Structures are given as structure tokens and as C-alpha cells.
Amino acid sequence: MYRKLGRDSSARKALFRGMLTSLFQHERIETTEAKAKELRKLADQMVTLAKRGDLHARRQVLAYIMDEDVVKKLFDTVAPKYVDRQGGYTRVIKTGLRKGDAAPCAIIELV
């Protein structure tokens, strides 16, 4: 099962597409704990596809990540780092509660 995060499916997909693009662009982002835990699954799938490195994998990643420069970075610099690693490409670090609404926040980063 997955978290719905109070959104319909199209809004949830758009949210995660934007967050994935930012994660691979900056290599770490701060968000709520629930979003970070869901994003971890998608990020690991994208890195696994990038490790394959073929054209079909690149097109599958391009269908999800919006920026071609970020996809190029993912395939050329991020994926080669994880050649010997069998999953677990991201780390979620809890950072405490957000000041405005006391939502539990976390930092998600590439290992």
C-alpha cells in the first residue's frame, strides 16, 4: 500500500515528478517525513533504471523526470557511483517538526 498524501492520483504523480527532479538536481531536499519515505521508492527505481543505461531505460526515466539535463546527470554521474550497490540509494534523515504546522520533516539525500 502507498500513502495518498491527501491528493488525487494526478496531483500525487505531479508532486513526485517535481520532487524527483529536484532530488536528482540538488542531491538532497527537505520535505515532510511521509513524502520522503514515498519518494525513496521512486528514486531507487530511477537509479536502478539509470544503472541499466540503455536507451529504453533512458526513455522510461524521461517519461517521469521533467528535465533532460537532470536525466543526463542521473545517467552520467549518479548511476555510475552505485554500480556495486544493490539498492538503498537514498537516505532519509529526520529533522524534527516544522514550525508552522508541526509536521514531521526529513531530509532525503542520495547516499
Side-chain angles (χ1 to χ4, degrees), residues 1 13 47 50-51 60 66 82 92:
M1 194 62 194
K13 183 178 179 183
V47 174
K51 280 172 59 177
Q60 284 178 305
M66 295 179 269
Y82 302 117
V92 175

Side-chain angles (χ1 to χ4, degrees), residues 38-54:
E38 284 298 308
L39 186 65
R40 178 173 48 187
K41 299 172 190 175
L42 291 169
D44 286 354
Q45 288 175 1
M46 295 299 142
V47 174
T48 302
L49 282 170
K51 280 172 59 177
R52 268 191 10 215
D54 58 350

